[in-house]
């Protein structure tokens, strides 16, 4: 590799707006927006002589469309009925049948980089999201700080007279900025959205039945009705649209709807699971064959597309035991129900827009997946936490025994990779593989009745997630100001797809004809139908001897089953050099596959943190105390009648820790890998001011654990756990004074708020 070049921003002036693919008409109106223009009236000594003046607010052009982005999570190319899959999505089908299906559309292989590219119209490394902000690396392509010089769709559209709303998963705020200390300028409301309702802004997801949600920058109370998170998100999207149209009916809106489905945990109501009982009983090999035929009939894959070979590590359905089939069928029924329920909630939003009379003038972009299907649960899948030392036979027996829990709040389900491969038909491998189409090739639907007349048609020009924003701007007649919030804007890198909409242009050559890919050390580059691919697999599915350049002619080989590298060494050399140039240009170097070693701790090197009642930290923002021995000390006041409740909770049902008081006894619940141990004080708690302490001591390189409890410095309980897993925050984080979400222990019902007085809780690492 070459020596890394010094990073510099691309030049940008108001005279040079290098927005590739936008029409000249869309650019000529672009102008600098001064924060405070000079006063244009006249001030006199008297009101009668004074001429009032206010600057005119930017208004969208008459008839400007509403804009909706819908992005699903971890849904493969062959999952939904809109693209030949067996999971019913009638509302997405409705959009596809009245719009355009783009069958050669690509994402980044992971969720946060795709979202960064979608919202900015730039390559992911170009906007510092070569991976996740919570696994950042302090170089420009990977530091997880979205540059202000590369505005989001919300910032641009707000400058063009739009209201802007984000609902669901954001995942683009660095954990260092994601606490209540802020700063909040990289939260959604700091990046152009008027309102946000969704997951913690740095988080990949949440529990579907007990979600952690934020409204703008404040944590939202739990839903008292216990509704599914996707329903809550759809409700909020509808409310935003309703309120906006009541207050400013002529003003267009931009809705970014990112429900987080169908990311794990796969959880959904029983009625949706029951919808698919028996539908997949013939197994994943049958599914792949059935879906490929449907895809050919629908025209979303070429007629000569073969079924690819089974992925390394995959098993034939007929090789499975009866118990394995039973569990794995439940997995796909839950997943399919989850996707269909999400489609139902999307349908509610579409129906509401139609009710307002706005649907014909609404541009909707649907990304069915922010990457390929998720293969992270490997051969067996997961839904109940299990011990590292528990054999497969025992784990499977436990899963069969508890099968009815799969998909409920008591499970954290992700299907086995046999189903990931099936729902990714016709592509190989999964999410995270930046070189394989199975990681990066996803469906795109554009719906815009006002301008799309070729209803239900197919477009096969190569396209990339960065193309959605320039397409939006061109179709909406929106301009990018040279300054946004005082920052000179750098070029948009995507290419507008607006040229493909007119039926007369459906066979025009693609305009996005060069695109690099890189994710966790696997990489590829596309040029004019040729793709050079270099697999690198940190999960060790791909043999080491396969880590070399492969070459595919994707116009003849849609799903990369014919490697032409040996026959075309000069083409391989050409594309390898092209990747090198693109990687340097867009900050894709250094290539890196181990991202955990630099997982940022916002508390730095601190070994002690003081918390108070009501404090809450997500798993990505919390003090990282659980990686070695630690103590928890609560300073509290107890009335004579006694008190009960949680002093400190870490995580929840799947695993965690709860330091609590019940029945006048001090208790520490410690849960990891499916095992729960509770130690209880040998004597009751006294009234008045007390110091309550729990020690968690690691030995044998952290494998062994011991617990101890103290009241006012005197030990009142101790237990040696021996070899035991580590209690971690999971998706529920760390909170003081209650245990919201799922409870760590069945000994109490969440949130079990503390009824005495907590002065502070101190966590110290040893």
């Amino acid at each position: 590799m070459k020596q890394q070049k010094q990073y510099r921003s691309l030049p940008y002036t108001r005279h040079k707006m290098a927005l590739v693919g936008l029409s000249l008409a869309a650019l000529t109106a672009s102008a600098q927006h001064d924060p405070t223009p000079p006063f244009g009236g006249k001030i006199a000594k008297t009101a009668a002589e004074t001429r009032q003046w206010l600057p005119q607010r930017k208004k969208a052009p008459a008839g400007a469309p509403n804009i909706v982005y819908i992005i699903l999570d971890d849904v493969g190319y062959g999952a939904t009925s809109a693209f030949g899959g067996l999971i019913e999505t009638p509302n997405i089908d409705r959009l596809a049948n009245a719009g355009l299906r783009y069958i050669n559309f690509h994402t980044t292989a992971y969720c946060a980089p795709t979202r960064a590219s979608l919202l900015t119209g730039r390559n992911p490394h170009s906007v510092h999201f070569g991976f996740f902000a919570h696994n950042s690396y302090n170089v420009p392509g990977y530091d997880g700080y979205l540059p202000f010089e590369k505005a989001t769709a919300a910032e641009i559209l707000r400058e063009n007279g739009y209201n802007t709303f984000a609902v669901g998963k954001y995942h683009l705020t660095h954990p260092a900025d994601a606490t209540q200390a802020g700063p909040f300028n990289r939260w959604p409301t700091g990046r152009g959205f008027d309102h946000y309702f969704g997951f913690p802004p740095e988080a990949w997801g949440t529990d579907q039945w007990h979600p952690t949600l934020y409204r703008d920058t404040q944590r939202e109370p739990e839903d008292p009705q216990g509704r599914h998170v996707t329903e809550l998100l759809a409700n909020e999207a509808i409310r935003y649209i309703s309120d906006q149209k009541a207050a400013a009916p002529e003003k267009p809106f931009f809705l970014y709807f990112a429900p987080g489905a169908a990311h794990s945990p796969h959880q959904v109501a029983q009625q949706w699971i029951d919808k698919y009982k028996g539908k997949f009983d013939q197994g994943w090999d049958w599914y792949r064959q059935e879906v490929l035929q449907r895809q050919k009939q629908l025209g979303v894959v070429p007629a000569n597309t073969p079924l690819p070979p089974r992925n390394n590590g995959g098993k034939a359905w007929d090789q499975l035991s009866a118990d394995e089939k039973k569990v794995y069928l439940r997995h796909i029924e839950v997943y399919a129900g989850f996707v269909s329920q999400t489609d139902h909630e999307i349908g509610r939003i579409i129906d509401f827009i139609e009710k307002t009379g706005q649907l014909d003038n609404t541009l909707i972009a649907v990304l069915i997946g922010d990457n390929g299907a998720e293969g992270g649960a490997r051969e067996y899948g997961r839904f109940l936490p299990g011990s590292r030392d528990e054999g497969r036979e025992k784990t499977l027996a436990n899963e069969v025994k508890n099968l009815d829990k799969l998909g409920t709040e008591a499970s954290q389900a992700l299907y086995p990779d046999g189903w990931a491969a099936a729902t990714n038909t016709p592509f190989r491998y999964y999410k995270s593989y930046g070189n394989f189409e199975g990681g990066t090739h996803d469906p795109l639907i554009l719906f815009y009745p006002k301008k799309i007349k070729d209803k239900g048609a197919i477009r096969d020009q190569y396209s990339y997630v960065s193309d959605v924003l320039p397409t939006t701007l061109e179709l909406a007649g929106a301009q990018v100001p040279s300054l946004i919030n005082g920052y000179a804007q750098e070029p948009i890198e995507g290419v507008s797809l607006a040229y493909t909409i007119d039926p007369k242009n459906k066979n025009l050559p693609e305009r996005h004809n060069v695109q690099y890919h890189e994710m966790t050390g696997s990489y590829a580059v596309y040029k004019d139908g040729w793709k050079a691919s270099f697999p690198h697999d940190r999960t060790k599915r791909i043999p080491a001897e396969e880590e070399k350049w492969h070459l595919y002619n994707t116009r003849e080989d849609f799903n990369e089953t014919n490697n032409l590298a040996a026959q075309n060494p000069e083409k391989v050399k050409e594309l390898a050099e092209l990747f090198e140039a693109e990687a340097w240009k867009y900050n894709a170097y250094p290539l890196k596959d181990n991202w955990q070693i630099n997982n940022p701790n916002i508390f730095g090197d601190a070994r002690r943190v003081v918390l108070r009642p009501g404090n809450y930290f997500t798993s990505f923002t919390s003090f990282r105390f659980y990686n070695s021995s630690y103590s928890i000390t609560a300073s509290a006041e107890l009335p004579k009648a006694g008190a009960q409740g949680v002093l400190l909770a870490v995580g929840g049902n799947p695993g965690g820790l709860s330091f609590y008081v019940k029945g006048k006894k001090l208790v520490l619940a410690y849960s990891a890998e499916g095992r729960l141990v509770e130690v209880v004080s040998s004597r009751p708690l006294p009234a008045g001011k007390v110091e309550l302490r729990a020690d968690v001591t690691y030995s044998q390189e952290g494998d062994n654990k011991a617990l101890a409890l103290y009241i006012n410095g005197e030990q009142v309980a101790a237990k040696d756990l021996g070899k035991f897993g580590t209690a971690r925050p999971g998706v529920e984080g760390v909170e003081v004074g209650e245990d919201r979400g799922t409870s760590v222990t069945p000994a109490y019902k969440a949130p079990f708020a503390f009824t005495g007085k907590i002065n502070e809780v101190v966590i110290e690492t040893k």
Side-chain angles (χ1 to χ4, degrees):
M1 294 292 183
K2 297 179 182 177
Q3 185 69 26
Q4 181 160 359
K5 299 177 182 178
Q6 184 177 0
Y7 172 76
R8 64 182 180 87
S9 296
L10 296 173
Y12 190 96
T13 71
R14 73 179 84 173
H15 303 295
K16 183 179 181 182
M17 304 253 333
L19 301 179
V20 180
L22 283 177
S23 66
L24 285 175
L27 299 180
T28 52
S30 181
Q32 178 171 328
H33 285 203
D34 295 315
T36 307
F39 182 67
K42 175 186 174 183
I43 300 176
K45 290 185 177 181
T46 68
E49 298 173 289
T50 295
R51 185 173 73 253
Q52 299 182 71
W53 180 86
L54 278 176
Q56 291 297 307
R57 291 184 179 181
K58 175 70 175 180
K59 290 186 178 180
N66 305 302
I67 297 165
V68 179
Y69 289 178
I70 298 170
I71 181 169
L72 301 187
D73 206 315
D74 292 0
V75 178
Y77 193 89
T80 65
S81 53
F83 277 73
L86 303 186
I87 301 174
E88 296 175 18
T89 51
N91 295 290
I92 294 175
D93 292 357
R94 173 188 177 188
L95 297 177
N97 293 335
L100 296 172
R101 288 176 174 88
Y102 287 80
I103 66 169
N104 204 1
F105 177 74
H106 296 78
T107 56
T108 73
Y110 261 130
C111 46
T114 289
R115 290 154 204 272
S117 186
L118 171 67
L119 286 174
T120 65
R122 280 89 170 184
N123 287 304
H125 302 81
S126 182
V127 289
H128 302 206
F129 268 86
F131 198 50
F132 302 139
H134 59 263
N135 300 88
S136 60
Y137 191 63
N138 296 330
V139 296
Y142 299 94
D143 65 27
Y145 284 98
L146 208 63
F148 294 112
E149 296 84 357
K150 299 178 181 183
T152 68
E155 289 169 315
I156 294 167
L157 290 170
R158 188 155 71 178
E159 289 290 321
N160 281 269
Y162 277 72
N163 282 124
T164 56
F165 313 120
V167 178
K169 176 175 173 177
Y170 187 64
H171 204 198
L172 297 177
T173 302
H174 196 286
D177 292 357
T179 71
Q180 288 304 295
F184 296 103
N185 56 347
R186 281 191 167 89
W187 288 54
T189 50
R191 294 309 309 258
F193 289 103
D194 296 332
H195 287 294
Y196 175 64
F197 183 83
F199 310 157
E202 84 291 354
W204 53 259
T206 188
D207 187 279
Q208 319 301 339
W209 286 116
H210 297 279
T212 299
L213 295 172
Y214 278 75
R215 183 178 299 279
D216 298 333
T217 62
Q218 300 298 310
R219 192 180 180 196
E220 182 80 351
E222 280 204 65
D223 176 45
Q225 297 180 44
R227 290 170 290 187
H228 193 278
V229 66
T230 311
E231 180 181 355
L232 298 177
L233 298 176
N235 289 348
E236 201 65 23
I238 291 168
R239 189 179 75 83
Y240 282 148
I241 296 168
S242 176
D243 288 350
Q244 190 263 355
K245 288 304 176 189
E250 301 305 317
K251 190 174 183 179
F253 65 83
F254 168 49
L255 169 66
Y256 176 62
F257 186 69
H263 197 292
S264 64
H266 298 164
Q267 299 167 320
V268 73
Q270 189 65 44
Q271 69 198 65
W272 292 102
I273 301 170
D274 290 345
K275 176 181 173 68
Y276 288 98
K277 284 289 184 187
K279 296 288 181 68
F280 305 108
D281 283 2
Q282 295 179 70
W284 52 54
D285 294 322
W286 163 83
Y287 184 102
R288 291 208 305 154
Q289 295 169 352
E290 179 73 14
V291 167
L292 183 61
Q293 292 308 310
R294 290 175 181 237
Q295 290 174 330
K296 290 177 180 179
Q297 292 166 9
L298 198 57
V300 296
V301 307
N304 64 348
T305 303
L307 196 68
R310 188 175 291 112
N311 295 330
N312 286 337
K315 273 189 175 182
W317 184 257
D318 289 343
Q319 292 179 315
L320 303 178
S321 70
D323 280 350
E324 285 176 318
K325 289 179 179 179
K326 188 180 296 185
V327 173
Y328 300 165
L329 285 171
R330 175 72 175 198
H331 268 289
I332 192 61
E333 291 164 1
V334 170
Y335 177 79
F338 192 11
V339 173
S340 283
Q341 183 244 11
T342 303
D343 175 83
H344 170 77
E345 298 301 334
I346 289 168
R348 291 178 54 222
I349 297 170
I350 296 166
D351 289 346
F352 185 79
I353 296 172
E354 185 173 41
K355 186 177 178 180
T356 68
Q358 297 282 318
L359 189 59
D360 282 351
N361 194 36
T362 298
L363 167 61
I364 303 177
V366 185
L367 283 72
I368 307 180
D370 51 3
N371 41 242
E374 168 67 279
R378 306 298 293 249
E379 179 182 352
Y380 304 128
R382 63 171 183 261
F383 83 88
L384 293 174
S387 169
R388 293 167 293 176
D389 302 322
E390 189 175 74
R392 175 58 189 157
E393 186 175 335
K394 185 176 179 182
T395 299
L396 181 61
N398 191 40
E399 289 180 341
V400 172
K401 180 181 176 181
N402 291 281
L403 197 57
D404 287 345
K405 293 182 179 178
L406 206 163
T408 71
E409 63 180 14
S411 71
Q412 295 287 306
L414 175 59
Y415 54 24
D417 56 15
W419 286 119
T423 56
N424 245 359
T425 301
F427 302 118
R428 292 186 296 154
Y429 290 99
Y430 321 99
K431 166 184 176 176
S432 85
Y433 291 86
N435 66 295
F436 284 111
E437 297 291 284
T440 65
H441 199 138
D442 288 285
L444 171 69
I445 296 165
L446 288 184
F447 169 92
Y448 187 12
K450 187 176 178 181
K451 290 192 176 180
I452 294 176
K453 305 305 177 186
D454 198 10
K455 299 186 185 304
I458 303 292
R459 297 291 184 266
D460 63 1
Q461 291 89 347
Y462 186 93
S463 53
Y464 189 67
V465 62
S466 60
D467 299 343
V468 176
L469 176 57
T471 305
T472 301
L473 299 181
E474 183 169 350
L475 291 175
Q479 300 91 39
V480 183
S482 59
L483 288 180
I484 293 181
N485 298 326
Y487 291 90
Q489 291 300 297
E490 296 183 4
I492 284 178
E493 295 156 5
V495 179
S496 173
L497 293 169
Y499 74 96
T500 66
I501 286 178
D502 191 320
K504 293 182 296 185
N505 298 336
K506 64 182 179 181
N507 295 319
L508 280 179
E510 62 200 27
R511 295 181 181 174
H512 193 143
N513 61 340
V514 172
Q515 181 61 50
Y516 80 95
H517 294 268
E518 188 282 331
M519 194 56 59
T520 63
S522 64
Y523 49 96
V525 64
Y526 172 91
K527 182 184 179 185
D528 296 327
W530 288 94
K531 179 181 171 185
S533 167
F534 197 107
H536 172 75
D537 188 4
R538 61 188 179 135
T539 64
K540 309 306 180 189
R541 282 189 178 100
I542 298 172
E545 61 268 21
E546 288 296 305
E547 294 201 10
K548 59 185 178 182
W549 283 111
H550 296 62
L551 180 69
Y552 304 100
N553 181 346
T554 64
R555 290 179 183 163
E556 297 178 1
D557 182 13
F558 186 71
N559 58 347
E560 302 177 338
T561 58
N562 186 18
N563 180 13
L564 302 174
Q567 299 97 303
N568 295 273
E570 289 303 312
K571 178 61 73 173
V572 172
K573 182 175 182 293
E574 173 197 341
L575 293 180
E577 291 174 351
L578 177 60
F579 175 80
E580 177 88 350
E582 295 291 288
W584 284 120
K585 181 178 179 181
Y586 294 113
N587 308 320
Y589 287 135
L591 301 179
K592 196 171 186 295
D593 69 354
N594 184 353
W595 289 97
Q596 295 302 321
I597 62 173
N598 201 45
N599 202 349
N601 181 351
I602 68 168
F603 290 91
D605 296 328
R607 301 180 66 84
R608 181 177 186 271
V609 65
V610 179
L611 306 177
R612 293 179 175 82
N615 288 165
Y616 170 73
F617 292 89
T618 67
S619 57
F620 297 127
T621 62
S622 70
F623 179 51
R624 204 131 315 129
F625 60 91
Y626 42 84
N627 292 330
S628 60
S629 300
Y630 56 91
S631 66
I632 303 166
T633 304
S635 171
E637 298 179 29
L638 307 178
K640 289 183 179 180
Q644 65 175 5
V646 171
L647 301 163
L648 179 82
V650 177
N653 176 324
L657 172 153
S658 181
F659 189 34
Y660 68 97
V661 175
K662 184 178 180 184
K664 297 189 177 181
K665 297 288 186 74
L666 184 62
V667 188
L668 178 64
Y670 194 91
S671 172
E673 298 178 350
R675 298 170 64 191
L676 170 66
V677 171
E678 300 199 55
V679 292
V680 183
S681 63
S682 58
R683 60 180 175 82
L685 290 164
K689 293 183 178 181
V690 292
E691 183 182 271
L692 310 174
R693 191 174 101 222
D695 285 354
V696 180
T697 304
Y698 291 14
S699 60
Q700 300 296 318
E701 297 183 342
D703 279 346
N704 289 4
K705 310 288 190 301
L707 311 179
L709 295 178
Y710 299 83
I711 298 174
N712 293 328
E714 180 184 346
Q715 188 177 97
V716 292
K719 186 174 182 62
D720 188 348
L721 305 186
K723 193 170 184 179
F724 211 91
T726 299
R728 300 178 184 276
V731 296
E732 296 190 32
V734 177
E735 55 197 327
V736 179
E738 60 183 349
D739 182 8
R740 284 164 58 172
T742 62
S743 57
V744 174
T745 168
Y748 59 75
K749 184 178 179 181
F752 201 47
F754 190 64
T755 57
K757 180 182 178 183
I758 300 173
N759 295 315
E760 64 181 27
V761 175
V762 178
I763 304 173
E764 293 182 276
T765 59
K766 298 178 181 179

